[in-house]
Amino acid sequence: MKKLSVLGSTGSIGTQTLDVVSKHPEHFQIEGLAAGANVELLLRQVHQFRPKKVSVATKELAEQVKTQVSPGTEIFYGNEGLVEVAAGTDADTVVTAVVGSMGLHSTLAAIEAGKHIGLANKETLVTAGHLVTEAIKRKGVNMLPIDSEHSAIFQCLNGERRDDLAGITLTASGGSFRDLTREQLQSVTVEDALKHPNWSMGAKITIDSATMVNKGLEVIEAHWLFGLPYEQIHVLLHPESIIHSFVEFRDTSIIAQLGNPDMRVPIQYALTYPERWDSPAKRLSLAEVGKLHFREMDMERFPCLRLAFECGKMGGTATTAFNAANEVAVGRFLNREISFLQIEDIIEEVLDRHANISNPQLADIEECDRNTRLLAAKL
């Protein structure tokens, strides 16, 4: 039986992870759950899976939860609680599904405690990829990708010689506004942006998909996950989201991973690797799909993707600044403080002012993150 802790258990990836677990109760034991403020859903999860440790966002919420769970369940809160659920249980695998850079400390703590990582928090590698990958190697643990694109690349590379690799291509749906012009984007609303055509995701990631920041973060994540230079990482617009990503080899052969858009498939693969189990996902019928479409990525139409590549190649704290500026800008857009296109304006201005540190330590990353957020909040 595999023992799991799930960070971000009430979010999109967290709930789908627990759905996978519920389909195979004889194989999984939930040791810890960490959530934010969705106490109602968290309590249902606690009563179903009976974890030993639970964490919520604040002390007040912790007091509220404590009165409604069994005495054998320990309750924690805040960043310390997140770290406790990540590193302080008997779990052998930690699914990191929190959104944003707040997942960094808990992921590093889990690695240092010898836990394997199911990675759905791409910001961990974006902000501190060199520190995370060094810790992974030093502790001898596995980090398996949960993002559908990186899971696809991981699967396509199984059994292949890395020396034969020519490049990888991440596919992008294009998000809510893929068919709109720059002029049409001037007047889009929060409600428009949250209507993703293919995937069921949380608000922040859905907005990131529309700006193409999400694909930019995935490019940086792929650089660290697969040890590839940015020149070997490509992005292709694929509206159907059937081909989740593909790999090209020196002999021009291409291997792709296909399936209906359903996050439970890559989640389950990360939890059961190298085995493949029955899945509740709908089977793909290419005859029903009929046609697949592809378009070259337009970096002028999606400038945030261009910025991500530039920050990735620059390295250092540039990727931290890119991520922090975006998190603040998306929050302001969701709060209706700024327009959709101002998200990319804020990111670009932050990066124009950024003084890059080429080989940052954790303290440098934290300071960069903090200062960037202050600046992005004022612009």
Side-chain angles (χ1 to χ4, degrees):
M1 180 167 288
K2 182 171 286 188
K3 297 180 178 181
L4 305 176
S5 280
V6 181
L7 311 183
S9 67
T10 58
S12 176
I13 296 297
T15 54
Q16 291 179 87
T17 298
L18 293 177
D19 184 48
V20 169
V21 169
S22 69
K23 299 293 190 297
H24 305 281
E26 72 280 11
H27 291 294
F28 296 111
Q29 168 66 41
I30 298 297
E31 294 288 321
L33 295 175
N38 191 343
V39 169
E40 183 179 348
L41 176 54
L42 176 64
L43 285 171
R44 292 203 300 269
Q45 294 174 344
V46 170
H47 293 145
Q48 180 178 357
F49 296 101
R50 302 192 178 281
K52 296 181 180 66
K53 294 186 178 182
V54 171
S55 179
V56 288
T58 66
K59 183 178 181 181
E60 292 73 23
L61 290 173
E63 294 296 332
Q64 180 182 340
V65 169
K66 191 176 294 185
T67 63
Q68 301 181 63
V69 299
S70 65
T73 303
E74 294 184 83
I75 308 298
F76 303 88
Y77 64 90
N79 288 330
E80 291 182 3
L82 200 60
V83 169
E84 183 64 34
V85 172
T89 74
D90 293 331
D92 46 63
T93 299
V94 177
V95 175
T96 60
V98 293
V99 177
S101 59
M102 67 179 294
L104 175 58
H105 275 280
S106 52
T107 303
L108 283 172
I111 295 169
E112 292 296 337
K115 317 292 187 185
H116 301 298
I117 304 297
L119 185 68
N121 174 248
K122 58 181 67 68
E123 292 86 355
T124 291
L125 287 179
V126 169
T127 56
H130 62 301
L131 299 180
V132 175
T133 52
E134 185 278 328
I136 287 282
K137 292 176 184 176
R138 176 166 45 80
K139 300 300 293 188
V141 299
N142 296 323
M143 177 176 280
L144 296 180
I146 283 178
D147 274 342
S148 61
E149 295 83 356
H150 300 98
S151 177
I153 298 298
F154 179 73
Q155 294 177 58
C156 292
L157 288 174
N158 277 344
E160 300 291 344
R161 287 175 8 111
R162 290 300 181 92
D163 290 344
D164 295 333
L165 183 64
I168 66 173
T169 297
L170 307 177
T171 55
S173 70
S176 311
F177 306 136
R178 62 194 177 198
D179 297 320
L180 300 188
T181 65
R182 299 285 299 174
E183 290 70 29
Q184 291 172 317
L185 291 175
Q186 298 281 353
S187 58
V188 298
T189 66
V190 171
E191 289 74 20
D192 296 331
L194 290 175
K195 296 174 184 175
H196 196 284
N198 300 349
W199 296 95
S200 173
M201 305 183 292
K204 193 263 185 185
I205 299 177
T206 303
I207 302 301
D208 285 352
S209 180
T211 62
M212 209 57 72
V213 164
N214 192 53
K215 203 56 51 178
L217 298 176
E218 289 175 3
V219 165
I220 299 167
E221 184 183 7
H223 164 74
W224 292 110
L225 276 173
F226 305 112
L228 294 174
Y230 287 95
E231 290 72 20
Q232 284 186 283
I233 305 173
H234 314 287
V235 179
L236 187 68
L237 200 63
H238 170 44
E240 292 85 2
S241 296
I242 296 295
I243 294 179
H244 298 308
S245 283
F246 59 86
V247 170
E248 183 176 4
F249 296 94
R250 291 192 302 173
D251 63 357
T252 73
S253 295
I254 289 178
I255 296 179
Q257 190 262 334
L258 289 72
N260 284 310
D262 191 325
M263 281 305 301
R264 292 174 298 179
V265 177
I267 290 169
Q268 180 170 295
Y269 188 67
L271 297 180
T272 66
Y273 175 80
E275 298 178 11
R276 293 182 184 270
W277 298 353
D278 290 340
S279 168
K282 179 184 176 183
R283 293 191 176 277
L284 173 66
S285 168
L286 289 176
E288 287 182 14
V289 173
K291 295 180 180 180
L292 299 177
H293 299 85
F294 306 93
R295 300 202 299 266
E296 290 290 346
M297 187 56 63
D298 185 345
M299 296 294 187
E300 291 186 9
R301 168 64 180 78
F302 296 107
C304 289
L305 182 59
R306 170 182 56 80
L307 292 171
F309 269 103
E310 291 173 359
C311 288
K313 291 176 181 178
M314 188 181 302
T317 52
T319 54
T320 302
F322 174 80
N323 178 72
N326 176 67
E327 286 189 19
V328 171
V330 169
R332 293 178 66 185
F333 171 67
L334 288 171
N335 288 332
R336 294 172 169 78
E337 297 174 24
I338 61 172
S339 70
F340 179 77
L341 288 179
Q342 283 180 297
I343 295 174
E344 60 195 41
D345 293 339
I346 288 174
I347 295 172
E348 187 146 29
E349 185 165 351
V350 163
L351 293 174
D352 285 344
R353 300 188 190 189
H354 177 65
N356 196 42
I357 299 174
S358 59
N359 187 31
Q361 297 307 301
L362 189 56
D364 301 318
I365 292 168
E366 290 172 336
E367 183 177 9
C368 171
D369 184 88
R370 183 168 55 252
N371 292 338
T372 299
R373 289 172 190 276
L374 291 173
L375 175 59
K378 296 175 183 176
L379 294 175

